[in-house]
């Protein structure tokens, strides 16, 4: 079985390969094709993978190419983990937004729109090629902003593209743990858009245990979301929001924290990864050790400004392990081997959340089998959450329209309509600022 990874020179590829190495089952991936535009990055990552595979018998064979069509041809699965504009692009997304006093996070607010505008045309090109060259392949989208990019690709690939994120599973796992339950046995009633969802219930043996958590301030304050949002706010909401909602509910504080930070997240990661790829140019360097050190530092500092502004302290050791690769592997196994399972994924709505149309990509529990991911119908969201979901989906649709038509006015509309951008004038300045720094936005006229 052939797995193609687009963005194959990316820093998180060894996580995926590490997960593949643990899979000993029938029908597992035998060939991994790494595709990237940058040959040096491909070579660096290939070295890490070679060290990972050293002691493993029958490890999947790894090849690398800079030819996209060659990489796609004959693939059974395609992981799309590209980063258009690189981490320098991410740092610019953040900087331009913060200069205008709004948020520049890569998936939320102005930064997410800028990143989406840059990424959608490239993702659409990939989707078109995949539909032509690997019509039976399943495409799993890792690229942020994951919901928006998945929706763009779904217009060409239908339900053969599925978007993933590890934040809902991580959230479900934390809630189950504080309740003393096995996360694998819990049904997580979660729905929304990517990085914009809420856990409204958590059923263990058929019983909703979330009320027990909400009733116990000590328990509620003992894990990441309790510390980030505060016990009182979670009790007012009666739900546990995805951690990215911190940017909405505490917008003023997070903008200030990011303005005061020595470096933005993107700038920090750009420097950190530049050091790693530079180190890999030394043929004597221990690749896996260098990669692992860099990874650990990245994970420890994840959302550090949010935690600091909330006085939430360090991350729990249990939360450091990530999980993207586990979601991706579970999804691939369920499809390839018809190992039926449920996963929270980004797929076309198809009526699961009645307030949005059938083609809107949402993040929702899905039943997965060899036929793909089938969203499970969920109870409606409360009005405040419906309001946010509809507003942000409306913005995503403007981004898709701007990327399709190349209309600058539509791009302004996308920024201006976002709940975290508070003025049409600011939206105009954002479009100016972003088109000045990003060559990938030259198509906006
Ligand atoms: C979480 C989010 C992802 C994000 C990742 C890394 O897993 O769900 O969307 O890509 O963290 O974030 P970072 O800030 O380290 O790039
Ligand atoms: Mn995510």
């Amino acid at each position: 079985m052939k797995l193609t990874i687009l963005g194959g020179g990316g820093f998180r590829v060894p996580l995926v390969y590490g997960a593949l190495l643990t899979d000993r089952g029938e029908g597992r991936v035998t060939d991994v094709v790494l595709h990237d535009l940058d040959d040096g990055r491909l070579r660096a990552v290939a070295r890490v993978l070679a060290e990972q595979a050293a002691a493993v018998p029958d490890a999947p064979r790894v090849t690398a190419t800079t030819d996209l069509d060659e990489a796609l041809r004959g693939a059974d699965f395609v992981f799309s983990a590209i980063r258009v504009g690189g981490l320098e692009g991410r740092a610019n997304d953040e900087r331009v937004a913060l200069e205008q006093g709004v948020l520049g996070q890569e998936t939320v607010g102005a930064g997410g729109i800028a990143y989406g505008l840059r990424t959608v045309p490239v993702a659409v090109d990939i989707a078109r090629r995949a539909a032509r060259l690997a019509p039976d392949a399943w495409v799993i989208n890792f690229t942020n902003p994951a919901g928006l990019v998945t929706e763009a690709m779904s217009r060409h690939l239908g339900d053969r593209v599925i978007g993933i994120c590890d934040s809902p599973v991580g959230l479900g796992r934390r809630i189950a743990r504080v309740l003393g339950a096995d996360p694998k046995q819990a049904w997580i009633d979660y729905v929304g858009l990517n990085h914009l969802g809420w856990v409204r219930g958590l059923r263990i043996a058929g019983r909703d245990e979330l009320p027990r958590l909400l009733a116990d301030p000590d328990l509620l304050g003992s894990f990441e979301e309790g510390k980030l949002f505060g016990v009182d706010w979670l009790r007012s909401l009666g739900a546990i929001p995805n951690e990215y909602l911190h940017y909405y509910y505490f917008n003023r504080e997070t903008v200030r924290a990011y303005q005061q930070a020595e470096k933005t997240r993107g700038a920090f990661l750009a420097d950190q990864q530049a050091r790693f790829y530079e180190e890999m140019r030394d043929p004597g360097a221990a690749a896996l050790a260098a990669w692992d050190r860099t990874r650990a530092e990245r994970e420890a500092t994840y959302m550090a400004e949010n935690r600091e502004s909330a006085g939430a302290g360090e991350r729990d050791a249990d939360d450091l392990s990530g999980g993207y690769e586990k979601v991706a592997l579970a999804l691939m196994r369920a499809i390839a081997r018809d190992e039926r399972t449920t996963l929270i994924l980004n797929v076309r709505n198809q009526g699961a959340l009645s307030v949005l149309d059938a083609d809107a990509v949402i993040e929702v529990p899905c039943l997965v089998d060899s036929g793909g991911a089938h969203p499970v119908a969920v109870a409606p969201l409360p009005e405040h959450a419906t309001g946010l979901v509809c507003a942000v989906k409306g913005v995503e649709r403007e981004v898709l329209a701007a990327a399709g038509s190349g209309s600058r006015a539509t791009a302004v509309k996308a920024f201006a309509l976002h709940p975290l951008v508070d003025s049409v004038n600011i939206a105009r300045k954002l479009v100016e600022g972003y088109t000045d720094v990003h060559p990938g936005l030259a198509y906006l006229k």
Side-chain angles (χ1 to χ4, degrees), residues 59-77:
R61 203 165 70 98
V62 179
T63 52
T65 177
T66 52
D67 183 325
L68 177 58
D69 290 354
E70 182 191 316
L72 289 172
R73 236 174 250 122
D76 296 293
F77 285 89

Side-chain angles (χ1 to χ4, degrees), residues 100-117:
Q100 296 302 330
V102 294
L103 194 70
Q105 207 280 332
E106 66 160 344
T107 61
V108 180
I113 297 174
Y115 190 28
L117 285 169

Side-chain angles (χ1 to χ4, degrees), residues 58-400:
D58 309 327
R61 203 165 70 98
V62 179
T63 52
T65 177
T66 52
D67 183 325
L68 177 58
D69 290 354
E70 182 191 316
L72 289 172
R73 236 174 250 122
D76 296 293
F77 285 89
V78 177
F79 287 0
S80 185
I82 59 170
R83 182 175 283 286
V84 178
L87 283 167
E88 291 72 24
R90 179 171 174 181
N92 281 330
D93 286 342
E94 295 164 335
R95 189 178 49 77
V96 169
L98 289 173
E99 279 168 9
Q100 296 302 330
V102 294
L103 194 70
Q105 207 280 332
E106 66 160 344
T107 61
V108 180
I113 297 174
Y115 190 28
L117 285 169
R118 272 204 322 280
T119 306
V120 164
V122 181
V124 164
D125 178 57
I126 290 170
R128 285 205 177 110
R129 283 169 197 255
R132 188 158 45 83
L133 299 168
D136 296 328
W138 292 90
V139 178
I140 301 180
N141 178 55
F142 291 57
T143 301
N144 274 332
L148 167 66
V149 171
T150 302
E151 186 162 320
M153 296 179 91
S154 76
R155 293 183 176 179
H156 304 274
L157 290 165
D159 295 323
R160 286 204 163 258
V161 60
I162 299 166
I164 62 168
C165 177
D166 62 344
S167 64
V169 207
L171 172 55
R173 189 174 52 216
R174 286 190 282 279
I175 299 175
R177 276 199 194 129
V178 291
L179 286 165
D182 175 0
K184 287 200 192 73
Q185 302 300 319
W187 173 263
I188 307 158
D189 176 9
Y190 175 96
V191 74
L193 304 182
N194 178 237
H195 292 183
L196 192 80
W198 296 261
V199 171
R200 298 97 51 88
L202 191 119
R203 285 204 302 278
I204 300 160
R207 208 180 115 100
D208 184 7
E209 299 284 349
L210 195 63
R212 178 160 71 84
L213 177 61
L214 291 169
D216 184 335
D218 290 338
L219 221 49
L220 199 52
S222 70
F223 68 107
E224 180 77 5
E225 282 70 16
K227 294 179 200 163
L228 210 51
F229 293 102
V231 166
D232 292 341
W233 181 237
L234 295 184
R235 293 173 92 163
S236 298
L237 281 176
I240 316 289
N242 184 296
E243 59 196 350
Y244 282 81
L245 273 149
H246 193 245
Y247 293 111
Y248 287 82
Y249 296 141
F250 294 89
N251 184 247
R252 197 172 281 249
E253 292 79 0
T254 51
V255 169
R256 199 178 307 129
Y258 276 77
Q259 280 172 331
Q260 285 167 358
E262 195 191 321
K263 275 183 201 168
T264 62
R265 181 67 173 164
F268 167 77
L269 293 175
D271 290 350
Q272 197 212 25
Q273 293 196 10
R275 279 198 300 278
F276 164 74
Y277 286 101
E278 184 54 38
E279 225 179 303
M280 287 307 98
R281 288 155 66 110
D282 167 6
L288 182 52
W291 173 79
D292 203 48
R293 202 184 336 110
T294 312
R295 179 200 56 77
E297 188 193 22
R298 178 182 189 167
E299 284 174 6
T301 54
Y302 174 69
M303 288 188 110
E305 278 75 20
N306 300 65
R307 270 181 285 112
E308 205 182 310
S309 79
E314 303 279 291
R315 277 189 102 188
D316 277 357
D318 282 348
D319 294 337
L320 292 176
S321 60
Y324 254 85
E325 64 288 357
K326 291 185 197 111
V327 180
L329 187 67
L331 173 58
M332 197 163 56
R333 286 168 68 143
I335 293 177
R337 299 176 215 166
D338 201 27
E339 277 176 17
R340 218 185 303 160
T341 188
T342 49
L343 294 167
I344 298 172
L345 299 166
N346 288 271
V347 295
R348 290 199 289 188
N349 174 28
Q350 292 169 5
L353 189 61
S354 57
V355 75
L356 293 176
D357 62 76
D359 293 337
V361 166
I362 61 169
E363 194 162 77
V364 63
C366 295
L367 182 70
V368 192
D369 58 21
S370 57
H374 316 283
V376 172
V378 290
L381 283 163
E383 272 174 355
H384 64 84
T386 295
L388 272 184
V389 161
C390 291
V392 172
K393 182 52 76 183
V395 170
E396 289 185 1
R397 293 274 164 85
E398 298 299 338
V399 172
L400 293 173

Side-chain angles (χ1 to χ4, degrees), residues 5-24:
I5 306 181
L6 308 180
F11 185 77
R12 290 202 289 192
V13 170
L15 290 172
V16 173
Y17 193 65
L20 295 177
L21 289 175
T22 65
D23 186 6
R24 312 301 302 161

